[in-house]
Amino acid sequence: MVRIYLRDRGFSIREQSLGEDEIIGASGKGVVDIRELGLLPGVERVAATSKPYELASRETRPEDTIVTVGGKEPGGLVKIGGTRISVIAGPCAVESRDQIMETAAMVRESGAVILRGGAFKPRTSPYAFQGLGMKGLEYMKAAGEAQGMPIVTEVVSPELAVQMQDLTDMFQIGARNMQNYELLKKVGSLGKPVLLKRGPSATIEEWLLSAEYLLASGTRDVVLCERGIRTFETYTRNTLDISAIPVVKALSHLPVIVDPSHAVGIRAKVSSAGLAAIAAGADGLTIEVHPRPDEALSDGPQSLYPEQFERLMRDIEALAPVVGKELLRTPLPSHGGRGRHAEKAPAKAADAGGGPASEGDTRDIPVAFSGESGAFAEQALMRVFGEESPRMRCSSFRSIFDAVLDGSAMAGVVPVENSLAGSVHENYDLFLRYPDIAIVGELKLRIVHCLIGDEKADLDTIKIVRSHPQGFAQCRDFLDKYPQWHLEACNDTATAVASIAREGATKVAAIAGEAAAKIHGLRVLKTGIETNPLNYTRFVIITRRIGDEVFVPPSLGSEPPNKASLVFSVPDTPGSLFACLKILSERGINLSKLESRPIQGQPWRYLFYVDVNIPGSEGMFDTVIEELKTKAEDFRFLGAYRGSL
Ligand code: PEP
Ligand code: MN
């Protein structure tokens, strides 16, 4: 019907599928009534695109595309795009089996999720090292498998693309080949993910048209890579076009990553340029790393030493929350050391006696959070477990604990502390009432508050503002400017937004995150209204403890814990708290939190909430805990986990 309608009006049409969407592209000089077209059966959306690239354009697909690389064990599945930062690393070229094996292990240890390396090197000089060819690719595949990482490697001809397809997880189209259209068509038709470098002299539009070639030939998984362009400047190898990142992110739904190594060409400048790219909104980086850059057969001067790469990854991790993202990390292969933990999710209470549920079950069991869709807790949940993970909305914090305990939720996400407004005491109290719940993970989420209202509302029409009390507390300075507003507390910030969406009032506004405004179809009247931009909420991931075993969801990774949370009280005698803290101090154990809370029903007696950093030697930490138990009263170990920066 749609096809006939368009053809009758003089358009030529093309058909594509992008994920689950069927897209019909039409071009020509005909005239069409867009609203009428939108009413035809089966039409979800009509987008008039002014862009020559249809499939790559955000006008065609407003939501971010998330590209999936790898997936078949043991090469793990890695995602690029959305709220994650994915880092690809490895040498410029595969030089030997040992070199790629050694580099893969090093970059994996620092947190890279995809291994890079060239087997076919398009070098400027025909006399320079050209790569090891198919042998190099075989070494690389082995290295990827040894480290559980998917691999990406450059393809230089359509014939080689066919030969390489079973060995690589992702094809790289190099800068020099960005406009090699026969190559793009062949690689696109193989359906594998593609990393498309920007040509050294290509405009943004030419680059996106090359992406269009790939999409039009059949692949949906295209990642764009800015790697510096040719300008009059000769100090650096190329000029990193930072502004291309926000420009392309607005024009296209495809993920954009940055290669600061080839852009800058000078080792000492690579990390700064990479951090700038992340700050500008890049979805990841690709970085050249060599165990001994001086001996590298290509691009040694721009290859990072493994220590420099490690430092860069830590800096990215610290920067990520500022741009509302999380550095993607995948589990290290059999690192162990998380103490006693169950690999499998506890079964529902009803069949608890029958042993743990099977591994496959955990993927279908939801993770619980409190609030409406768009709540900050839901964003924290998606950061840890992925956007598509099944989730359960609970009406209170207590019901999260109940759902985790009875097995209807695999895990729960609960806020425990905000950097401006302090602890969420209700959850600390719940930990005491639920001894079979353990903390297994942590996430710090940057909280940017917005004033959200109806399309027709503005700052002058508002009389009532709804939010969670924490939302009010974090926006105190802003609210003080409007003393006439009446504040109404809600269970969570997203519930406040949902209530306006239902009532459609111009008098009522809500304080919540931008995501809640989008989900409920409301407008952001003012953004960034929190008193201080350094506003973070610390969420913890909770699961059920059965005996000594604690379930650690696979998405939390298997790196050993570096943080633990404890609760205890002390005898009412001089020096009793000091005696406990002395045990920690003598072992050089750092406290990252110490807070006292009144014990319910025992006036003037207090519990101490303590977070500590676990030292490298874990055996020593076990001794410390045993010692603490002898000095403290009511000692409770809430959990050991990997702290987020
Ligand atoms: C590379 O990534 O190895 C490479 C050759 O990069 P570019 O194509 O961007 O020069
Ligand atoms: Mn290189």
Side-chain angles (χ1 to χ4, degrees), residues 516-554:
K518 268 201 188 133
I519 286 170
H520 297 285
L522 292 169
R523 196 160 69 92
V524 171
L525 307 176
K526 194 160 173 53
T527 183
I529 57 169
E530 66 279 7
T531 299
N532 189 308
L534 296 179
N535 185 26
Y536 297 89
T537 293
R538 199 178 139 224
F539 290 87
V540 291
I541 318 301
I542 58 171
T543 63
R544 179 169 145 211
R545 202 196 302 269
I546 301 178
D548 271 350
E549 299 236 308
V550 175
F551 167 61
V552 181

Side-chain angles (χ1 to χ4, degrees), residues 87-369:
V87 177
I88 302 173
C92 177
V94 183
E95 297 168 359
S96 68
R97 191 183 163 90
D98 287 351
Q99 172 250 16
I100 190 70
M101 285 286 180
E102 183 183 5
T103 317
M106 285 171 158
V107 298
R108 179 74 161 116
E109 183 77 32
S110 300
V113 289
I114 299 179
L115 177 66
R116 64 147 285 146
F120 296 91
K121 296 301 300 175
R123 304 299 298 280
T124 307
S125 160
Y127 310 120
F129 174 60
Q130 303 284 311
L132 298 183
M134 290 306 283
K135 197 88 226 139
L137 184 51
E138 278 163 27
Y139 294 154
M140 206 173 149
K141 181 174 158 62
E145 281 175 1
Q147 296 303 324
M149 301 168 92
I151 61 172
V152 57
T153 195
E154 177 162 357
V155 55
V156 292
S157 78
E159 300 72 40
L160 282 169
V162 178
Q163 284 183 44
M164 291 163 76
Q165 64 176 328
D166 293 333
L167 293 172
T168 188
D169 299 292
M170 185 182 211
F171 284 116
Q172 175 169 316
I173 301 285
R176 291 154 197 82
N177 272 317
M178 189 204 85
Q179 286 178 310
N180 181 342
Y181 300 118
E182 290 310 310
L183 178 63
L184 295 175
K185 282 193 260 179
K186 184 74 211 174
V187 170
S189 75
L190 300 177
K192 287 225 158 194
V194 185
L195 182 64
L196 177 65
K197 294 269 191 116
R198 178 180 181 182
S201 306
T203 63
I204 286 172
E205 186 161 302
E206 286 163 345
W207 185 21
L208 289 172
L209 277 164
S210 289
E212 189 76 9
Y213 262 96
L214 292 166
L215 295 169
S217 316
T219 183
R220 73 166 285 283
D221 290 317
V222 176
V223 176
L224 299 164
C225 179
E226 160 63 41
R227 47 75 76 201
I229 51 173
R230 177 95 31 123
T231 67
F232 56 81
E233 181 54 69
T234 53
Y235 190 91
T236 48
R237 182 171 175 179
N238 289 287
T239 298
L240 177 56
D241 185 4
I242 286 278
S243 50
I245 304 161
V247 169
V248 174
K249 294 245 22 134
L251 291 175
S252 175
H253 52 84
L254 297 172
V256 180
I257 72 160
V258 169
D259 172 351
S261 308
H262 291 88
V264 177
I266 307 165
R267 182 184 307 127
K269 316 283 188 268
V270 166
S271 297
S272 319
L275 289 170
I278 297 298
D283 297 296
L285 299 178
T286 173
I287 304 283
E288 285 186 345
V289 181
H290 197 287
R292 289 162 297 279
D294 299 342
E295 296 170 17
L297 298 181
S298 60
D299 286 349
Q302 71 194 29
S303 298
L304 296 192
Y305 285 96
E307 310 79 73
Q308 289 177 305
F309 178 64
E310 167 81 25
R311 170 67 202 266
L312 171 61
M313 292 299 281
R314 293 179 68 79
D315 288 348
I316 295 171
E317 195 162 8
L319 175 60
V322 177
V323 287
K325 293 191 180 143
E326 186 77 10
L327 177 65
L328 180 69
R329 286 193 183 270
T330 37
L332 284 172
S334 72
H335 211 294
R338 214 173 224 272
R340 263 184 287 206
H341 72 279
E343 292 289 342
K344 293 170 182 170
K348 294 200 177 192
D351 49 37
S358 73
E359 184 69 57
D361 284 353
T362 62
R363 252 169 275 153
D364 310 327
I365 307 177
V367 180
F369 72 100

